[in-house]
Amino acid sequence: MGRELTFADAKIIEIVNKNFVPVAMDDWFQRRRQDAEGDFFRKVADQGPRKGSGGGTRQGIYAFTADGKLLQYRNSQDPEVMRAFLLSALKSWGSLSQADRNAAKVAIPELKKIDPRYVPILTKDTLIVNVHARILEKENDFFCHGTCKFPGGQRASHDHMWIRESEWQALLPKDPKVGQEIAIPENLVYRLARFHLIDNTRGEPPMWARNEVRKASLKLFVSDITKEEVRLKLTGAILLATDADEKNAKRGYDASMLGEICYEPSKRKIIKFNAIVMGEHWGEGTYTGGSRPGRAPFGIAFELADPAKPADRVPPQAIREFAGYFEASK
Amino acid sequence: MRLDITLCLGLTFGLAYSQASEPIKPEQFNKLHAIIKPNPDEEKFMQIPWMIDLWEARKKAASEDRPILLWEMDGHPLGCV
């Protein structure tokens, strides 16, 4: 979250947009993949201080040429430091010899093969749902943004839920009738509960184990039908807790769900996926310290993504284990 | 323990349950949805046209004669965190 603040700086945005080709990557995948892209990334990173010894992280901010010559490396959240870093990197770029500049214009070959273990594949028919979580507080019988000591912890988080074609097709009845109930695939319920009802507002969160899903009573039914669209209403209650007795659970989320899914019956195309999960969250994980004390209001909003936007195609955090993500009920 | 249905969860999702959290009021849905989602002020970092494919970024940088800026984090910078 802190680095979001860095790249929110107006001067930094201007410098980056004017001078660089910006790319954002997940180090967990990049440092592991055994293919030409993984080799290239490690070649760049190994010129800096983070050589990933013992398989460790290489995270940070790198400036380099297209052929892999490192110009600068920093790992800082301070906008002032980052402004200086960018200007220094541009100075290094401007100081390259003509031979190095020519080398940087090298024709990049196509990637012949990728390491399937560390490159999540987004298929064309996968439905992407954006997921945003936020800490909240009660205010005048309603809610407002929460406050948190952790830098940036009050901001909404970003993640994406991937729903396979067979799963979202199963949500759309072929001959809908108002009031008709639709069975939600079990894997989808568990995927939602285990991997998307998480507190990722302060960093990489722990996911829920299957047996920590203490309750997931979701109901989907047809609420309205017109020629243009069929509306489905989603309601439910969810209890996630690290102990079977929630009073003893160090971490938990007790919440309700409400949402609406709309689709065009003629094209069987989902045109709306709006939902909220709202309740009380408590506890924290190894990398999400600084949570608020006790139980506190916590909301999660879902909406259809736009696959044309690169940021909306970023894989779900929990997909690091592909099979575990898609077969969440096992 | 509030819930006894835990053990049955893997078999069915339609069981009766007791609920501690209040159901979300439909009339509050839009307002709540808007409060939770990021507001434009929180999305300034998205004013940078981040690519999400390093190999494609190399091609672009080579063809445009520009350096690459890589934002590399454990957890995708545009994703979970």
Side-chain angles (χ1 to χ4, degrees):
Chain A
M1 304 301 287
R3 290 187 183 86
E4 285 182 20
L5 306 177
T6 302
F7 287 109
D9 178 88
K11 188 65 184 171
I12 287 175
I13 292 170
E14 182 190 331
I15 296 170
V16 173
N17 287 351
K18 187 176 171 188
N19 298 286
F20 290 90
V21 173
V23 58
M25 303 296 295
D26 186 341
D27 186 57
W28 193 91
F29 289 111
Q30 290 297 98
R31 70 174 183 258
R32 286 176 168 83
R33 56 189 288 183
Q34 297 298 317
D35 56 19
E37 181 167 321
D39 292 343
F40 175 78
F41 167 65
R42 287 185 291 274
K43 183 184 96 173
V44 171
D46 286 353
Q47 296 168 57
R50 279 212 152 143
K51 303 183 196 309
S53 59
T57 181
R58 286 179 163 93
Q59 66 180 346
I61 299 169
Y62 297 81
F64 53 96
T65 64
D67 64 327
K69 183 178 177 57
L70 183 67
L71 300 170
Q72 293 284 333
Y73 167 86
R74 280 309 287 256
N75 190 23
S76 171
Q77 299 177 19
D78 184 337
E80 207 165 307
V81 172
M82 286 311 300
R83 277 194 296 271
F85 161 82
L86 293 171
L87 295 175
S88 177
L90 287 174
K91 193 174 175 186
S92 299
W93 169 253
S95 302
L96 287 177
S97 68
Q98 192 57 49
D100 283 344
R101 283 294 282 266
N102 289 340
K105 293 178 195 168
V106 65
I108 310 298
E110 292 299 320
L111 265 183
K112 288 185 179 155
K113 63 176 184 179
I114 58 168
D115 185 343
R117 297 169 300 171
Y118 299 115
V119 183
I121 302 298
L122 174 66
T123 59
K124 185 167 64 73
D125 298 316
T126 297
L127 187 78
I128 310 173
V129 178
N130 287 340
V131 188
H132 301 290
R134 189 193 286 279
I135 60 170
L136 300 169
E137 285 170 12
K138 286 246 182 185
E139 182 184 67
N140 299 330
D141 294 329
F142 196 61
F143 296 95
C144 63
H145 290 175
T147 54
C148 167
K149 288 180 182 172
F150 187 90
Q154 78 284 359
R155 293 167 175 260
S157 66
H158 299 71
D159 201 4
H160 309 95
M161 181 166 69
W162 284 5
I163 305 176
R164 284 175 162 164
E165 184 186 18
S166 60
E167 295 168 333
W168 62 258
Q169 285 279 1
L171 304 179
L172 316 183
K174 290 195 171 90
D175 183 21
K177 305 270 191 303
V178 171
Q180 178 183 349
E181 277 197 43
I182 301 138
I184 306 173
E186 192 180 43
N187 270 323
L188 190 51
V189 174
Y190 272 99
R191 190 180 314 145
L192 170 83
R194 293 181 58 193
F195 305 136
H196 294 290
L197 303 187
I198 52 175
D199 180 4
N200 53 1
T201 57
R202 296 178 309 283
E204 283 189 282
M207 304 294 165
W208 300 103
R210 188 188 186 284
N211 66 356
E212 291 172 343
V213 183
R214 309 294 171 181
K215 176 173 66 180
S217 300
L218 302 185
K219 182 179 173 185
L220 183 68
F221 60 96
V222 179
S223 61
D224 193 24
I225 302 172
T226 67
K227 192 178 172 187
E228 290 77 27
E229 67 177 23
V230 177
R231 293 178 171 212
L232 310 176
K233 188 173 181 183
L234 178 62
T235 62
I238 293 143
L239 178 66
L240 307 165
T242 52
D243 193 285
D245 184 344
E246 66 177 281
K247 289 193 293 296
N248 296 328
K250 289 184 176 172
R251 186 166 51 85
Y253 189 32
D254 187 348
S256 297
M257 186 166 197
L258 180 64
E260 185 174 64
I261 300 170
C262 299
Y263 68 97
E264 289 181 25
S266 58
K267 297 179 183 170
R268 293 186 62 75
K269 180 185 175 189
I270 291 181
I271 53 176
K272 184 178 180 184
F273 194 119
N274 276 5
I276 300 170
V277 174
M278 186 70 203
E280 290 183 336
H281 187 281
W282 68 97
E284 60 191 31
T286 306
Y287 306 112
T288 57
S291 66
R292 298 169 295 171
R295 295 179 177 230
F298 186 71
I300 301 175
F302 299 79
E303 67 179 355
L304 214 52
D306 177 0
K309 294 181 182 171
D312 281 7
R313 299 197 303 273
V314 168
Q317 171 78 4
I319 209 168
R320 288 176 176 180
E321 294 178 25
F322 301 162
Y325 181 76
F326 286 112
E327 310 296 325
S329 67
K330 291 180 182 167
Chain B
M1 183 161 55
R2 182 157 60 86
L3 295 163
D4 296 322
I5 63 161
T6 307
L7 298 174
C8 303
L9 185 68
L11 303 176
T12 174
F13 294 96
L15 292 171
Y17 53 86
S18 62
Q19 188 170 1
S21 59
E22 292 177 18
I24 299 162
K25 294 173 184 163
E27 63 272 21
Q28 294 183 338
F29 182 90
N30 288 339
K31 201 172 164 187
L32 263 176
H33 201 259
I35 278 182
I36 297 168
K37 285 196 308 180
N39 59 45
D41 199 45
E42 293 173 330
E43 298 283 90
K44 284 182 181 167
F45 70 102
M46 290 305 299
Q47 292 173 21
I48 295 171
W50 298 104
M51 299 175 75
I52 58 167
D53 184 324
L54 177 57
W55 209 257
E56 291 304 313
R58 288 185 71 196
K59 290 181 187 175
K60 187 173 167 67
S63 69
E64 296 179 1
D65 192 22
R66 298 164 85 181
I68 296 166
L69 181 73
L70 170 63
W71 187 10
E72 176 94 2
M73 285 180 67
D74 261 325
H76 201 291
L78 310 181
C80 184
V81 292

